[in-house]
Amino acid sequence: RERELFRYASAAAPAPLVRRRSGVVDVLPSDGLPLGVLGDAVHELRETPFGPGDTLALYSDAFAESSVSDNAVLGEDAFREDLSDAMARDSCAGVIEDVFSARETRGLLHFDDDATLVCLRSL
């Protein structure tokens, strides 16, 4: 925290988003093998600036994989657009509220899988 960095290792999870205080939204690299696939897998440690006014969002793939019809899902790009827009809010509670409002507007009232959304703001 004192170095104003976010350090993370990814295991094929959806790419974290960081909205900088300037309003720019960065999609952070996220690749590698899923946890548990290989017992000796090595996951790269990454870091990115995370200073006052920056907002970080971590989420599970259930958001992008939500069914919008019998043979189509929302998709990563559409979800990231909704999330990026929501991250302009003044609080993480507002971010989460806007993400779920966008889902409701799209008619996505349930999840096909377990869903996780974490929002952090650096003060």
Side-chain angles (χ1 to χ4, degrees), residues 6-13 16 29-31 35 42-47:
F6 171 64
R7 297 179 73 188
Y8 70 103
S10 177
S30 179
D31 54 14
L35 288 176
V42 176
H43 295 88
E44 181 181 351
L45 181 61
R46 296 183 168 107
E47 59 184 41

Side-chain angles (χ1 to χ4, degrees), residues 4 20 23 26 33 39 42 49 58-59 64 67 74 83-85 107 119:
E4 296 183 355
R20 309 292 177 189
D26 292 331
L33 292 172
V42 176
L58 307 167
Y59 54 93
S67 298
L74 178 62
L83 180 55
S84 294
D85 290 347
C119 177

Side-chain angles (χ1 to χ4, degrees), residues 32-112:
L33 292 172
L35 288 176
V37 170
L38 293 176
D40 60 351
V42 176
H43 295 88
E44 181 181 351
L45 181 61
R46 296 183 168 107
E47 59 184 41
T48 188
F50 190 62
D54 291 347
T55 303
L56 170 71
L58 307 167
Y59 54 93
S60 62
D61 58 4
F63 286 90
E65 293 174 357
S66 294
S67 298
V68 292
S69 69
D70 286 340
N71 41 341
V73 296
L74 178 62
E76 194 71 32
D77 291 340
F79 174 68
R80 282 187 190 155
E81 183 177 327
D82 290 346
L83 180 55
S84 294
D85 290 347
M87 290 173 76
R89 291 288 299 266
D90 291 339
S91 69
C92 281
V95 171
I96 292 169
E97 180 180 305
D98 280 6
V99 166
F100 281 89
S101 291
R103 287 183 57 79
E104 188 175 328
T105 299
R106 292 179 183 275
L108 302 172
L109 303 178
H110 72 281
F111 288 96
D112 300 324

Side-chain angles (χ1 to χ4, degrees), residues 13-24:
L17 267 61
V18 176
R19 180 181 168 86
R20 309 292 177 189
R21 187 170 73 185
S22 67
V24 171

